[in-house]
Amino acid sequence: MINSVRILAVELDGKDGVFVTFSDGTTAGYVVEELLELRPKRELTKPPVDYSN
């Protein structure tokens, strides 16, 4: 059986980067440009509705 690697934690690194910790014990750093290349098809989203008012 193949064990899939999962994301365990994500930490901000300044204004334009993140550190990602994976379940296989590795860590990787990404900047915004790299993340955009990983997912070239972006989708429009709507901000969450705040019903607490």
Side-chain angles (χ1 to χ4, degrees):
M1 181 175 164
I2 298 175
N3 293 332
S4 60
V5 177
R6 297 172 306 171
I7 295 174
L8 297 180
V10 177
E11 299 175 48
L12 289 177
D13 179 35
K15 295 187 296 186
D16 60 351
V18 293
F19 284 113
V20 181
T21 303
F22 298 95
S23 61
D24 65 354
T26 60
T27 302
Y30 298 95
V31 292
V32 172
E33 291 83 9
E34 292 174 313
L35 295 173
L36 292 174
E37 289 176 11
L38 291 173
R39 182 163 184 202
K41 182 180 177 184
R42 297 184 299 162
E43 300 172 6
L44 294 176
T45 60
K46 296 180 184 177
V49 177
D50 183 9
Y51 293 108
S52 64
N53 294 335

